Amino acid sequence: MDKPLIGIVMGSDSDVERLKGAFDVLKELEVPFEVTIASAHRTPKDVANYAKTANDRGIKVIIAAAGLSAALPGVLAAHTTLPVIGLPLEVGPLKGMDALLAMAQMPPGIPVATVGIGQAVNAALLAVQILSLQDSSCSKKTTQYREKASKKVSTARDTLTELPKAPPEAFLG
């Protein structure tokens, strides 16, 4: 595998399954990435060091998955100028709403881009879109991924055999 371009940080090993969609997309698009576990509360020095060394190691974007207090994306962002994408996880009594609000309300000067609750695939795709600003192959891969998703929807539409379907001309531009 090539040198990782995307770093994925999660606060706990229990988050691995929740990020499977991101891992799968990055593998499918053949975008090199690395994964680690570090906690903003239990291993804050590790989080800071990861962020501080990411750029020198070739990382271009960091995805930070967190639930509950969701401090991880903000702590990473405080220690790097790389783009940080916060992925709020659907955990705890508020099912990720607390994490979403924490990520979306970062103080001025410490931005964290935030995707929807549990949207690991969107976090990965956003990271690849950021990479595509400097790498046209990433742009092509993202376009191909979207075309594939579009075909999947069209195919599903064609399976509506026992329901009254919208006519084909409804989808002509």
Side-chain angles (χ1 to χ4, degrees):
M1 187 177 226
D2 293 329
K3 193 173 185 180
L5 299 174
I6 297 172
I8 300 176
V9 184
M10 36 192 160
S12 168
D13 61 346
S14 65
D15 299 333
V16 172
E17 188 59 34
R18 293 181 180 95
L19 272 87
K20 186 180 181 316
F23 306 148
D24 291 346
V25 166
L26 295 174
K27 288 175 186 175
E28 178 181 340
L29 299 180
E30 299 177 340
V31 176
F33 65 99
E34 66 182 28
V35 179
T36 193
I37 297 170
S39 169
H41 300 107
R42 294 172 294 218
T43 60
K45 288 181 184 175
D46 291 347
V47 173
N49 288 335
Y50 183 87
K52 289 175 184 177
T53 63
N55 190 46
D56 290 340
R57 293 182 294 105
I59 299 296
K60 304 295 182 200
V61 183
I62 297 172
I63 297 172
L68 303 172
S69 70
L72 183 60
V75 173
L76 286 161
H79 293 283
T80 186
T81 56
L82 293 174
V84 175
I85 300 169
L87 170 58
L89 298 176
E90 191 174 349
V91 298
L94 299 179
K95 301 294 184 201
M97 185 57 74
D98 46 354
L100 175 65
L101 292 173
M103 290 177 201
Q105 298 182 58
M106 292 300 301
I110 310 294
V112 170
T114 305
V115 296
I117 298 168
Q119 296 297 317
V121 169
N122 280 350
L125 290 170
L126 180 56
V128 176
Q129 286 180 256
I130 292 169
L131 294 176
S132 69
L133 293 170
Q134 293 184 325
D135 183 343
S136 62
S137 71
C138 286
S139 180
K140 290 175 188 170
K141 291 173 183 180
T142 303
T143 299
Q144 290 169 346
Y145 183 90
R146 287 181 176 195
E147 288 170 354
K148 182 178 167 186
S150 176
K151 286 179 185 174
K152 186 175 180 183
V153 170
S154 297
T155 300
R157 184 183 314 131
D158 293 340
T159 65
L160 296 173
T161 56
E162 296 184 27
L163 298 170
K165 291 194 296 187
E169 57 269 15
F171 304 101
L172 300 176

